[in-house]
Amino acid sequence: MQYFNADGSTGSLCGNGARCAIKYAEMTNRVKSKTAVFNSNGQEYQGEILTEGSVKFFLKEPTKIKTGFRVKAHNQLIKANFADTGSPHVIINIEDVLENPKNLKSYHSDLETFPVVEVGQEIRNLPEFRPNGTNVNFIQLKNDLIKMRSFERGVEAETLACGTGAVAAAIILHILHKKNPPIKIITKSNAELIVNFEMENQRFTNLSLTGPVEIEHKGTYSF
């Protein structure tokens, strides 16, 4: 599988794209069972077609995990976290972002009205994430409900969902908030992504992303 961003760039992993590729392989009889094995960016990955119509994709162990650092954006210093799950992701709780930098009590409380594009674009291009930049994911926790909105590099805009971003968010939530798997995350599209993993010697193993896959369009291409 080779994944292309909207701007034509390549080179990183797309979790939801991988799940779609697995489903497509099954639909077109390219796999003989409910398990698919494929290569992307020189690495071997595996996925499963589940009976309820969902697709599970197994990721590699995350790298470069960092919590509690600050980024300068939106006229303030914002507490941020980072994890690379095949693509680089900054994870920010919106309650750590001031709506009015001059009012130290004006923390954001509503993900629906949060300026994802404005803040995300600024963080995506910060010098500390060069040369390739980073994806930026904003989360909100309400009791057991976790919601997320994402600004993706290569698209340079907010997207309806981000699979590797959901995995990165789940990892940070486990570290900082003791959230245990399976961790359910609601995306901008209201789709539910489920992140599962096991902890072995302080390492994330058997890491997977599960969610629905639906046919959006069908067509033909002549070349």
Side-chain angles (χ1 to χ4, degrees):
M1 182 189 78
Q2 186 174 10
Y3 179 77
F4 290 86
N5 291 305
D7 66 358
S9 60
T10 63
S12 63
L13 182 67
C14 178
N16 288 333
R19 293 192 307 103
C20 289
I22 293 165
K23 181 63 177 177
Y24 179 76
E26 183 212 29
M27 291 169 52
T28 53
N29 297 316
R30 285 172 167 81
V31 291
K32 302 299 182 182
S33 66
K34 295 295 182 181
T35 300
V37 179
F38 63 96
N39 290 309
S40 181
N41 296 326
Q43 296 193 74
E44 185 177 280
Y45 292 93
Q46 182 174 316
E48 297 177 358
I49 307 293
L50 304 181
T51 55
E52 62 270 24
S54 295
V55 176
K56 177 184 285 189
F57 169 54
F58 292 93
L59 295 86
K60 305 298 183 183
E61 183 179 352
T63 60
K64 302 176 183 177
I65 299 173
K66 185 178 181 181
T67 61
F69 62 95
R70 304 276 176 169
V71 293
K72 188 175 182 180
H74 206 45
N75 296 314
Q76 60 190 285
L77 289 175
I78 301 173
K79 186 186 296 184
N81 311 281
F82 183 90
D84 192 320
T85 54
S87 289
H89 289 279
V90 167
I91 308 296
I92 293 174
N93 189 326
I94 65 165
E95 295 179 3
D96 290 326
V97 183
L98 293 171
E99 188 172 356
N100 178 4
K102 295 182 180 180
N103 182 354
L104 299 182
K105 295 183 179 180
S106 64
Y107 289 102
H108 280 274
S109 59
D110 186 359
L111 185 60
E112 296 300 319
T113 60
F114 188 86
V116 169
V117 174
E118 179 183 351
V119 183
Q121 187 175 44
E122 192 173 356
I123 295 173
R124 178 259 189 269
N125 291 297
L126 287 175
E128 53 262 49
F129 302 116
R130 292 174 182 168
N132 297 318
T134 184
N135 302 285
V136 189
N137 304 272
F138 302 95
I139 59 173
Q140 182 175 30
L141 287 70
K142 285 188 176 180
N143 299 320
D144 291 329
L145 186 64
I146 303 166
K147 291 187 175 183
M148 184 182 83
R149 293 174 63 187
S150 302
F151 182 93
E152 291 197 53
R153 65 173 188 171
V155 180
E156 307 309 329
E158 181 178 8
T159 57
L160 293 176
C162 181
T164 53
V167 175
I171 288 167
I172 296 301
L173 287 167
H174 176 74
I175 294 172
L176 297 182
H177 298 278
K178 310 303 180 185
K179 295 290 184 182
N180 292 318
I183 297 174
K184 298 180 181 179
I185 296 179
I186 307 299
T187 65
K188 172 70 172 176
S189 66
N190 285 323
E192 182 179 271
L193 296 177
I194 301 173
V195 180
N196 216 333
F197 53 81
E198 297 173 4
M199 294 301 298
E200 184 177 330
N201 297 323
Q202 302 300 311
R203 296 173 60 182
F204 292 87
T205 62
N206 202 26
L207 183 62
S208 68
L209 172 71
T210 303
V213 174
E214 298 178 4
I215 298 174
E216 184 70 21
H217 292 88
K218 286 185 177 180
T220 58
Y221 182 74
S222 299
F223 58 93

